[in-house]
Structures are given as structure tokens and as C-alpha cells.
Amino acid sequence: MRIKIKEAADFLRTRDNFYILTHQSPDGDTIGSGFGLCFALRKLGKNANVLCSDDFPKRYNFMMEGYEPMKFTPETIVAVDVADAKLLGSKLSGYGDYVDLCIDHHVSNTEYAQRLLLYPDAAAACEVMYSLLTEMEIPLDKKIAECLYTGIATDTGCFKYGNTTRLCHMIAAKLMEQGINFEWINREMFDIKSRARLLVEQYISSSMEFYLDDRCAIAAVTLETIEETGLAQEEFEGIAGMSVQVEGVMVGAILKEKEPGKFKISVRSASDVDVSAICRKLGGGGHKKAAGCTLEGKVDEVKMQLLSAIAPALGMDLWLV
Amino acid sequence: MRIKIKEAADFLRTRDNFYILTHQSPDGDTIGSGFGLCFALRKLGKNANVLCSDDFPKRYNFMMEGYEPMKFTPETIVAVDVADAKLLGSKLSGYGDYVDLCIDHHVSNTEYAQRLLLYPDAAAACEVMYSLLTEMEIPLDKKIAECLYTGIATDTGCFKYGNTTRLCHMIAAKLMEQGINFEWINREMFDIKSRARLLVEQYISSSMEFYLDDRCAIAAVTLETIEETGLAQEEFEGIAGMSVQVEGVMVGAILKEKEPGKFKISVRSASDVDVSAICRKLGGGGHKKAAGCTLEGKVDEVKMQLLSAIAPALGMDLWLV
């Protein structure tokens, strides 16, 4: 059942003993909205814990400073930023059918919860959470403000992406009143990388090839490369964006060999070219600006298959370039 | 003479035939505030042109769409984002003594202009300009909004740096009402790089060495390297920031050989370490988080000189690590 913000506020006010569930592979927004809500409920004298199927990545630890799990029997289950019960992950899957309230911003929310507070136009669950805490008249403090800021910043690429709303900026201005160290947060979230990540970026950057009058960039990572270089598998997250960072490139792709001869292809658009249409032709799918598919063959064959699909989308003939 | 916003607004309202001067090596803020003001004055039916000693870099062209220089005899000289008359550059230096109004945010402003509207706490001249246009009751439009947004975004690293003010966010929210394509602007300003820049970044990244328990990172570029690799000199701007991007690094430095055996050293801090103190010891200076000096010798000798100054600042003994 879809509910409005006032109903969600009333619900939280009248309940106690909260388990707040975050999604698996937790990111800044699910952690920020989870701990933001937890600290707010505790300020009201209520019992609240935050749960996750996976460990929280270390770089988000600052949001949990001063947090200790409490001992109580849970009575109210709230999920934050969790679009689908499946995304609760293995350890929390048992709660899937018993979520009393879901607070979310994903238009794809499957409405698995008893009550759903959904703002599909919000950039982040933390944007919804800010409105909810305001409705509940819970005064902000620095801790809560840092949680909500982090969620909004990470989901919008620091106010850079097209999903950024006017409200994101207005909330950021309000959160800054609490003296949050947004400079430090942004540096940790956006600028700092591990040496292992640096190596992956170096590899992608130096192996980038340019095709179709330099309007298409492709980098490939084979199993052989991984073995030779020792590149860390877990450091490839979000790497596809690198394929469209060079001036003039309209479509970019990263080819990553998953099993011998089987490549996961991530395609990105930095133009009006709809890469989901390109990937659908190749048996995949996705969004206009970010899509993917799986292709089989030797790395050069796979590149050719992909380029044959990209060329017409750029209005070009592969064999004439 | 320092003036307040109302006086600046009255001054602009009563004058006509404006030359708006931007600073040499123009950036997003001087161009954004210059063209923002120019379009606003033209909306009032006044004559206004924007001037610069240097060509405007191509990537800022979108701010000048629809702009053509007008023919008129200048009567009012306004400088925007120009902290010192010297920064007008060679072609505009003749105007240095005749600036009627300077609109700026640099605390270092030399007060060379007849009237100075200075907000030293503002992140960008465009932040001041927004307040001024609001005071003048000039309705925003998409063109003006794109100019002001770009100046604020570029001077704050897209709301990421510590100079970002609450007002920056509040203004961004207002500017977004004009339907500006901030996603495209941010991509152009922050994500896109030339292939020549990519090569420079690759070189810096792959030649980075880690010292002092990995708390210090140093990359060096010699004249020999430049010759061998053909790295483009003009693509090194702002590269020093790369030296502190790796997790755990507290102080980073880029060494660039300017003449044989003479290195320009750019030092950055990602911690409480005051790098201006380090550089002062070596005959240089700067700010706490960004400083520099010049050192002479072979590249390895220069590294040692630098590390000898950095080690104690990190509370370490160079010879024990």
C-alpha cells in the first residue's frame, strides 16, 4: 500500500523496536538513509538497529561512529532504499514478507512492503528521508546530517548527474548548517582510490583503442591479462564510465572476459546514441546511456561483433573507416 | 572604494556602454560571470561586450552561444573575478587604471578598481553576480543561468570543495528552475578529457612511487621523459591533485623538470600536514594543502631533498623506513 509522508511519520512515531534493513552490496544511500533514520529514532528514545546482509564497506564507517547495536526484540521492520525484497540479500531474506514500511526512491520498487513511501523523482532515499524526518519534526544534528548528505552526494555523483533535483541542493544547504565536513566526505567518496583500483584504471586507460573516427572507444580485459597483471576483480566496479571520458567519444565499451571466450560487455553513451538499442541487437539490454550484453568468441572477434552493431548507430560504415 | 550590493546595482542601472573585462587564462567563473552580466545588461537594452586578453578555451563556448560583439564606444569598465589589474593580461592592461567597478570574491583583491563589490566568503564571482542580478531584479533566463551555474560549479569542483557555501547550493536550486542542462555542463567541465591529457594522467599514475610507509606519493617528469613520450606541456594543469588520490597517502608531490636540473615541485596535503611549512623550508611557499618550491639536482637527489623535508612533517625518520 502506497502511503504519504504524514502517514509514514505517524507510523514511525507510534511504533518502537525497529530493525532497519539496508540492501545487499550496500552503498552510500542505503547506509546513509538507514543510519540517519536509526539515529533519529534513537533521539526519540526508541530502540533501533541497522541490518545488512553484507559487511559495510570500510569507507562508510564514519557514518556509524557512535553506533552500537542494541538488544531488543524487533517489532517494526523498515527497509530503506530497497527496491525489491530479493535485494535484502541472503542473511535478511527471511524478513522479505514482513517489511512494515519501505522508504524508497526507485521507480522499479516491487511494492513488497506493507506500506510504501516512494518518491520516484527523488535522486536518493536520503532525499525522502530528509523530508520524512522534517515531517516528524526531529531536529537534525551533525551525525544525521552527515548520513543524509552522504547518501545524496553518492547517488548524484556530488550533484553532477542528471538525477540531481532542486531539492537535493536545498537539502544540502540545510544539512551544511549542521557543520558537516562535506569536503572530507566528498574526498573520501569521490577522490580517494586504492592502489589496486589505480592499477585497474591504468590498465583500462592504456589499453583503450579508438575506432570509427575516434567516436568509439573500447578497452578489453581478458582472463590472460587478469592472470598476468594480477588486477583485482573487485576493483572493476563502475569502470565502464572510463570508456566515454575522452573528448569526442560518443559510445564507449569495456569488454571483460568472465569465462574463457565469454565476454561481459558494458556499453556507455556520451551522446544521443541509445546504447540499449545496440545491446538489444546483441541479445542484451539496459538503459539509453548505460547498457550491456554478453558476447562469445576471441577478443578480436568480440570487438568486431560489437563494432558492427555500434557503427550504424553512429551513422557510419565499419568497413569504410 | 568598497561598495555594497545596492550601490553596485544602482551604478550598473544608471550606466551604459559596458566593457566587461575577464582575467587572463580565463576559467569558468570569470567567463560565466562576464557573460552572465553581459546578457543581463543587454536584456535591459544596454550595450555590453565581454573582453579577454586570451582566447576563451573551446569547452566554454556554450556560454557564448548567441553572443556577438556590439559596436559602441565604451563608457563603463567592469572587471569580473579579476583580483589584480595585472591579471587582465597584456591586451587589456591599458584598462587597469580605469576600471569603474570590480565584482569579485578573492580575499586577495588589490582594490585597484574605483568601486569594488567583494564577497570574500563567496566560492565564485558567479555567486556574487547572482546576488547582484537579483538585487537589480533582472529576471533570469536559461542563458544567464547556464553561465552562473558553470562558474559556481567549476570554482567548487561541482560542490565538492570546502569553499562551497550554503548559498552555492541555494543558487543552484534556483538556476535549475530555468531548465539548464547541468548534467551536460558537468560532464563537459569535469569528466571529459583530451587524449593528450589522458596520456599525461597515465604517465603520472604509472610512475607514482610510494615512500614513508606509503604515506607519501611522488611522481617525477623529467625533460628526457617529455622528449621521449611527447607528453603535452599544457596538459599538466592541476595534475598535482593526482598525487594525493591514493588511499593512505597524506602528502603527495609532482616533480616537473623545467630546465635541465631544475625542478618545479608541487606538493599537496590530504591530511593535517601543512605542506606550505614543508615548502618554506625548501625556499618555497603556498597554502596549507597546496604549496610549491623549486629544487635543483638530478631527479633522485631532488626526491631525497624533498623526502627529507616531508619525513619529519609526517613524524617519521626517512632513514628508518
Side-chain angles (χ1 to χ4, degrees), chain A residues 251-252 266-269 271-293 309-310 313:
Chain A
V251 174
S266 303
V267 190
R268 295 291 178 271
S269 171
S271 56
D272 291 336
V273 175
D274 177 355
V275 291
S276 75
I278 294 172
C279 288
R280 272 199 305 274
K281 273 201 222 167
L282 300 167
H287 305 278
K288 271 186 145 181
K289 303 234 163 192
C293 59
I310 291 174

Tab-separated table of all heavy atoms in Angstrom, chain A residues 251-252 266-269 271-293 309-310 313:
chain	number	residue	atom	x	y	z
A	251	VAL	N	30.360	6.754	-28.029
A	251	VAL	CA	29.990	5.466	-27.449
A	251	VAL	C	31.264	4.780	-26.972
A	251	VAL	O	32.272	4.768	-27.680
A	251	VAL	CB	29.276	4.564	-28.487
A	251	VAL	CG1	29.033	3.171	-27.925
A	251	VAL	CG2	27.963	5.197	-28.934
A	252	GLY	N	31.219	4.222	-25.774
A	252	GLY	CA	32.387	3.527	-25.248
A	252	GLY	C	31.988	2.171	-24.704
A	252	GLY	O	30.827	1.949	-24.354
A	266	SER	N	30.054	-3.960	-21.339
A	266	SER	CA	29.354	-2.807	-20.766
A	266	SER	C	29.503	-1.640	-21.720
A	266	SER	O	30.626	-1.235	-22.020
A	266	SER	CB	29.956	-2.421	-19.413
A	266	SER	OG	29.916	-3.513	-18.527
A	267	VAL	N	28.375	-1.118	-22.188
A	267	VAL	CA	28.417	-0.054	-23.195
A	267	VAL	C	27.862	1.238	-22.591
A	267	VAL	O	26.870	1.212	-21.855
A	267	VAL	CB	27.609	-0.457	-24.455
A	267	VAL	CG1	27.865	0.527	-25.585
A	267	VAL	CG2	27.985	-1.868	-24.898
A	268	ARG	N	28.504	2.346	-22.869
A	268	ARG	CA	28.069	3.647	-22.361
A	268	ARG	C	27.924	4.644	-23.500
A	268	ARG	O	28.667	4.573	-24.481
A	268	ARG	CB	29.096	4.202	-21.353
A	268	ARG	CG	29.239	3.376	-20.083
A	268	ARG	CD	27.992	3.447	-19.212
A	268	ARG	NE	28.112	2.622	-18.018
A	268	ARG	CZ	27.753	1.338	-17.946
A	268	ARG	NH1	27.241	0.735	-19.003
A	268	ARG	NH2	27.887	0.671	-16.822
A	269	SER	N	26.981	5.563	-23.338
A	269	SER	CA	26.787	6.603	-24.336
A	269	SER	C	27.107	7.956	-23.737
A	269	SER	O	26.726	8.250	-22.610
A	269	SER	CB	25.338	6.604	-24.823
A	269	SER	OG	25.099	7.740	-25.630
A	271	SER	N	26.372	10.591	-25.699
A	271	SER	CA	25.750	11.329	-26.800
A	271	SER	C	24.281	10.929	-26.865
A	271	SER	O	23.761	10.317	-25.945
A	271	SER	CB	26.450	10.954	-28.104
A	271	SER	OG	26.382	9.531	-28.269
A	272	ASP	N	23.634	11.257	-27.971
A	272	ASP	CA	22.230	10.882	-28.121
A	272	ASP	C	22.072	9.425	-28.536
A	272	ASP	O	20.957	8.914	-28.612
A	272	ASP	CB	21.554	11.780	-29.171
A	272	ASP	CG	21.420	13.202	-28.645
A	272	ASP	OD1	21.412	13.372	-27.411
A	272	ASP	OD2	21.340	14.125	-29.471
A	273	VAL	N	23.166	8.768	-28.843
A	273	VAL	CA	23.102	7.367	-29.270
A	273	VAL	C	22.528	6.512	-28.133
A	273	VAL	O	22.975	6.602	-26.994
A	273	VAL	CB	24.500	6.845	-29.670
A	273	VAL	CG1	24.448	5.361	-30.005
A	273	VAL	CG2	25.050	7.642	-30.839
A	274	ASP	N	21.513	5.721	-28.468
A	274	ASP	CA	20.839	4.866	-27.487
A	274	ASP	C	21.563	3.516	-27.439
A	274	ASP	O	21.390	2.681	-28.317
A	274	ASP	CB	19.369	4.708	-27.908
A	274	ASP	CG	18.600	3.771	-26.988
A	274	ASP	OD1	19.208	3.164	-26.070
A	274	ASP	OD2	17.380	3.641	-27.200
A	275	VAL	N	22.371	3.317	-26.415
A	275	VAL	CA	23.167	2.086	-26.383
A	275	VAL	C	22.335	0.869	-25.956
A	275	VAL	O	22.745	-0.270	-26.196
A	275	VAL	CB	24.433	2.215	-25.494
A	275	VAL	CG1	25.428	3.172	-26.134
A	275	VAL	CG2	24.108	2.639	-24.079
A	276	SER	N	21.156	1.092	-25.383
A	276	SER	CA	20.314	-0.068	-25.053
A	276	SER	C	19.830	-0.720	-26.348
A	276	SER	O	19.697	-1.937	-26.428
A	276	SER	CB	19.147	0.327	-24.140
A	276	SER	OG	18.151	1.006	-24.863
A	277	ALA	N	19.596	0.093	-27.380
A	277	ALA	CA	19.176	-0.456	-28.681
A	277	ALA	C	20.315	-1.287	-29.283
A	277	ALA	O	20.077	-2.366	-29.840
A	277	ALA	CB	18.783	0.676	-29.623
A	278	ILE	N	21.533	-0.779	-29.146
A	278	ILE	CA	22.709	-1.524	-29.641
A	278	ILE	C	22.812	-2.867	-28.917
A	278	ILE	O	22.998	-3.919	-29.536
A	278	ILE	CB	24.002	-0.694	-29.426
A	278	ILE	CG1	23.976	0.561	-30.306
A	278	ILE	CG2	25.251	-1.538	-29.692
A	278	ILE	CD1	25.114	1.547	-30.044
A	279	CYS	N	22.655	-2.844	-27.608
A	279	CYS	CA	22.815	-4.072	-26.831
A	279	CYS	C	21.660	-5.043	-27.055
A	279	CYS	O	21.855	-6.260	-27.007
A	279	CYS	CB	22.976	-3.733	-25.350
A	279	CYS	SG	24.593	-2.984	-25.021
A	280	ARG	N	20.470	-4.517	-27.291
A	280	ARG	CA	19.337	-5.412	-27.576
A	280	ARG	C	19.609	-6.230	-28.837
A	280	ARG	O	19.339	-7.422	-28.887
A	280	ARG	CB	18.033	-4.614	-27.714
A	280	ARG	CG	17.305	-4.402	-26.377
A	280	ARG	CD	15.834	-4.034	-26.570
A	280	ARG	NE	15.674	-2.873	-27.440
A	280	ARG	CZ	15.722	-1.602	-27.021
A	280	ARG	NH1	15.937	-1.332	-25.745
A	280	ARG	NH2	15.555	-0.609	-27.862
A	281	LYS	N	20.186	-5.565	-29.858
A	281	LYS	CA	20.554	-6.269	-31.096
A	281	LYS	C	21.489	-7.435	-30.818
A	281	LYS	O	21.531	-8.408	-31.565
A	281	LYS	CB	21.302	-5.312	-32.033
A	281	LYS	CG	20.435	-4.502	-32.932
A	281	LYS	CD	21.310	-4.028	-34.112
A	281	LYS	CE	21.030	-2.597	-34.462
A	281	LYS	NZ	22.051	-2.045	-35.375
A	282	LEU	N	22.292	-7.286	-29.757
A	282	LEU	CA	23.294	-8.301	-29.433
A	282	LEU	C	22.817	-9.222	-28.315
A	282	LEU	O	23.614	-9.930	-27.689
A	282	LEU	CB	24.610	-7.614	-29.037
A	282	LEU	CG	25.240	-6.708	-30.112
A	282	LEU	CD1	26.346	-5.844	-29.533
A	282	LEU	CD2	25.775	-7.552	-31.279
A	283	GLY	N	21.513	-9.171	-28.044
A	283	GLY	CA	20.955	-10.085	-27.055
A	283	GLY	C	20.991	-9.573	-25.627
A	283	GLY	O	20.714	-10.315	-24.687
A	284	GLY	N	21.310	-8.304	-25.450
A	284	GLY	CA	21.353	-7.733	-24.103
A	284	GLY	C	20.292	-6.662	-23.923
A	284	GLY	O	19.232	-6.717	-24.549
A	285	GLY	N	20.569	-5.684	-23.073
A	285	GLY	CA	19.614	-4.615	-22.835
A	285	GLY	C	20.157	-3.588	-21.866
A	285	GLY	O	21.348	-3.573	-21.590
A	286	GLY	N	19.258	-2.758	-21.351
A	286	GLY	CA	19.701	-1.745	-20.380
A	286	GLY	C	19.019	-0.418	-20.586
A	286	GLY	O	17.877	-0.363	-21.057
A	287	HIS	N	19.721	0.639	-20.257
A	287	HIS	CA	19.200	1.993	-20.388
A	287	HIS	C	19.823	2.674	-21.600
A	287	HIS	O	20.778	2.170	-22.174
A	287	HIS	CB	19.513	2.803	-19.127
A	287	HIS	CG	19.033	2.158	-17.868
A	287	HIS	ND1	17.731	2.264	-17.437
A	287	HIS	CD2	19.670	1.393	-16.959
A	287	HIS	CE1	17.596	1.581	-16.302
A	287	HIS	NE2	18.758	1.040	-15.997
A	288	LYS	N	19.277	3.848	-21.930
A	288	LYS	CA	19.772	4.593	-23.089
A	288	LYS	C	21.268	4.907	-23.010
A	288	LYS	O	21.978	4.856	-23.993
A	288	LYS	CB	19.024	5.927	-23.204
A	288	LYS	CG	17.762	5.855	-24.021
A	288	LYS	CD	17.180	7.245	-24.187
A	288	LYS	CE	16.531	7.377	-25.550
A	288	LYS	NZ	15.966	8.692	-25.805
A	289	LYS	N	21.716	5.286	-21.833
A	289	LYS	CA	23.105	5.743	-21.686
A	289	LYS	C	24.026	4.667	-21.091
A	289	LYS	O	25.233	4.861	-21.013
A	289	LYS	CB	23.158	6.979	-20.784
A	289	LYS	CG	22.298	8.128	-21.283
A	289	LYS	CD	23.093	9.402	-21.409
A	289	LYS	CE	22.338	10.382	-22.291
A	289	LYS	NZ	23.122	11.517	-22.692
A	290	ALA	N	23.435	3.585	-20.601
A	290	ALA	CA	24.249	2.536	-19.975
A	290	ALA	C	23.561	1.205	-20.217
A	290	ALA	O	22.452	0.974	-19.752
A	290	ALA	CB	24.395	2.793	-18.471
A	291	ALA	N	24.218	0.325	-20.969
A	291	ALA	CA	23.599	-0.957	-21.297
A	291	ALA	C	24.673	-2.027	-21.359
A	291	ALA	O	25.858	-1.733	-21.155
A	291	ALA	CB	22.852	-0.849	-22.628
A	292	GLY	N	24.249	-3.263	-21.597
A	292	GLY	CA	25.233	-4.337	-21.621
A	292	GLY	C	24.727	-5.560	-22.354
A	292	GLY	O	23.546	-5.678	-22.692
A	293	CYS	N	25.647	-6.478	-22.628
A	293	CYS	CA	25.288	-7.749	-23.248
A	293	CYS	C	26.444	-8.725	-23.015
A	293	CYS	O	27.453	-8.367	-22.411
A	293	CYS	CB	25.026	-7.578	-24.751
A	293	CYS	SG	26.428	-6.924	-25.660
A	309	ALA	N	27.773	-3.491	-34.568
A	309	ALA	CA	26.487	-3.011	-34.061
A	309	ALA	C	26.542	-1.520	-33.734
A	309	ALA	O	25.544	-0.809	-33.852
A	309	ALA	CB	26.086	-3.803	-32.819
A	310	ILE	N	27.720	-1.052	-33.339
A	310	ILE	CA	27.849	0.365	-32.958
A	310	ILE	C	27.902	1.265	-34.198
A	310	ILE	O	27.291	2.337	-34.224
A	310	ILE	CB	29.105	0.584	-32.078
A	310	ILE	CG1	28.902	-0.085	-30.700
A	310	ILE	CG2	29.394	2.072	-31.880
A	310	ILE	CD1	30.134	-0.065	-29.798
A	313	ALA	N	24.756	2.755	-35.578
A	313	ALA	CA	24.153	3.681	-34.614
A	313	ALA	C	24.843	5.042	-34.664
A	313	ALA	O	24.256	6.071	-34.311
A	313	ALA	CB	24.231	3.099	-33.203
